[in-house]
Amino acid sequence: MGEEIEAVVMCCAYCGIAEIDDIKLMDCDDCDLVKYCSDACQKNHKREHEEACKKRSAELRDELLFKQPESSHLGDCPVCCLPLSLDTAKSSMMMCCSKIICYGCACANAVREVEGRLKHTCLFCREPAPDTKEGRGRQNMKRVKANDPAAINQVGEEQYDKEDYDTAFEYYTKAAELGVAESHFRLSLMYHFELGVEKDEGKVIHHMEKAAIGGHPRARNNLGCEEWNNDNSDRALKHWIIAATQGHDDSIKHLMNAYKGGFVDREVLAATLRAHKAAIDATKSPQREAAEKYFQDLHR
């Protein structure tokens, strides 16, 4: 039976020609069910294949959407190799190389430089660190010209904060095309709140899903809320569980409320709480705790 299915797949779904010698078949643009020998065959077979294609395409999309990401969109600190905290106040991006460094490593390096009377340099690439905001901006624009996705997203964030939404949209769109999950998330917000663009719920969902697939827990949490509001509780819970296991606090709150309403089993909630704690604990280290204490004392 398996050989028969494979034989069918290796033939054009419209004309039946087999993939032999110089004849190469191409996959359907949206699913993995059929192949075609030409664009003409694909076009002629569209009406017959359309229903099955849409169903399979949705299945493939969900497989990708609900896959547990290996890490958050922030990844690991490239110095200590520990996962970065979802609290972006506990890390910073180096404009010279676009690496995100945790405050634990940054603080330890600052102490090393002061004690050794060393010149302040980037902890990762050792590029001399500019003393002014303008100097850091020039470094970042150099990375933008090199088509660095993180640097392009950074300019988008700066323009977004200045409420220059047209320019922010331009940079976010370019960074999103290069795979930056944060840019997809910001674009979803812009389409939702009509910031420089017309409201478009289809694009809101599209960019939120792209961000969630890229490991963005806040975007996934928002997808869960959207599904919950549309009475798709099973899909909402899947999103919240994935986001919670990445260390996202709001998703835990949503799951707790769903548990009180009888939508979540005790065992599932308990396992998610353990995974949430493990994700938070993975971002901790003595060096990071020392840095956090230092900054808390500094702002007292």
Side-chain angles (χ1 to χ4, degrees):
M1 184 66 178
E3 293 178 356
E4 292 178 5
I5 294 174
E6 185 178 352
V8 171
V9 172
M10 295 308 292
C11 294
C12 175
Y14 183 71
C15 69
I17 192 169
E19 185 175 56
I20 54 174
D21 298 331
D22 295 335
I23 298 173
K24 301 297 181 183
L25 302 180
M26 58 184 182
D27 293 326
C28 170
D29 293 335
D30 299 313
C31 76
D32 58 357
L33 295 176
V34 296
K35 293 179 180 288
Y36 298 102
C37 65
S38 66
D39 292 335
C41 280
Q42 184 170 6
K43 184 178 180 180
N44 291 333
H45 193 242
K46 181 178 179 181
R47 181 175 296 180
E48 181 182 344
H49 176 57
E50 192 169 19
E51 185 176 346
C53 184
K54 285 182 177 180
K55 181 180 178 182
R56 180 56 181 159
S57 179
E59 290 173 352
L60 290 172
R61 182 67 177 176
D62 277 359
E63 286 179 14
L64 182 62
L65 181 60
F66 291 110
K67 183 180 179 181
Q68 180 74 44
E70 293 183 3
S71 67
S72 81
H73 64 297
L74 296 172
D76 300 340
C77 171
V79 179
C80 65
C81 298
L82 293 177
L84 289 165
S85 170
L86 298 183
D87 182 355
T88 53
K90 295 182 178 181
S91 60
S92 59
M93 191 178 93
M94 310 307 293
M95 298 302 178
C96 48
C97 57
S98 299
K99 299 298 183 184
I100 301 177
I101 308 294
C102 75
Y103 267 16
C105 291
C107 190
N109 183 60
V111 171
R112 180 186 67 85
E113 289 176 337
V114 170
E115 291 180 347
R117 297 182 179 181
L118 304 173
K119 187 175 180 180
H120 183 40
T121 60
C122 171
L123 181 55
F124 184 80
C125 69
R126 299 304 181 187
E127 182 79 12
D131 297 325
T132 64
K133 183 178 180 181
E134 290 74 16
R136 291 189 290 273
R138 285 194 295 270
Q139 278 189 333
N140 192 56
M141 289 309 298
K142 185 177 180 180
R143 299 297 304 170
V144 170
K145 290 178 181 178
N147 216 33
D148 185 310
I152 295 169
N153 176 75
Q154 179 65 25
V155 176
E157 289 189 4
E158 291 170 359
Q159 299 307 312
Y160 185 95
D161 292 340
K162 294 177 182 177
E163 298 185 3
D164 181 357
Y165 297 123
D166 289 341
T167 305
F169 180 82
E170 177 186 344
Y171 279 94
Y172 280 147
T173 299
K174 186 173 181 180
E177 289 172 353
L178 293 171
V180 180
E182 179 66 24
S183 294
H184 279 295
F185 176 66
R186 292 298 186 104
L187 286 170
S188 75
L189 297 181
M190 295 183 77
Y191 278 113
H192 180 74
F193 292 110
E194 300 179 78
L195 302 176
V197 292
E198 293 183 4
K199 191 178 185 69
D200 189 327
E201 286 303 319
K203 289 183 179 178
V204 171
I205 298 301
H206 167 76
H207 286 294
M208 274 202 292
E209 288 186 345
K210 284 284 191 178
I213 291 169
H216 201 296
R218 188 176 167 193
R220 189 173 289 282
N221 175 71
N222 288 359
L223 283 174
C225 294
E226 185 74 20
E227 296 287 8
W228 185 267
N229 292 335
N230 290 328
D231 295 325
N232 297 323
S233 59
D234 288 346
R235 293 177 67 85
L237 295 176
K238 285 181 181 180
H239 281 305
W240 288 334
I241 288 171
I242 293 173
T245 57
Q246 291 181 283
H248 193 258
D249 294 336
D250 284 349
S251 295
I252 283 291
K253 294 175 184 177
H254 291 312
L255 287 169
M256 293 293 288
N257 289 331
Y259 170 72
K260 293 174 184 176
F263 291 93
V264 182
D265 292 337
R266 180 188 294 272
E267 293 78 11
V268 172
L269 180 61
T272 306
L273 286 168
R274 288 193 295 271
H276 175 266
K277 183 178 184 302
I280 298 295
D281 289 346
T283 67
K284 295 179 179 179
S285 72
Q287 190 167 267
R288 291 183 181 184
E289 290 172 5
E292 187 168 357
K293 184 178 184 304
Y294 170 79
F295 286 112
Q296 286 175 350
D297 293 343
L298 193 66
H299 290 94
R300 281 180 182 173

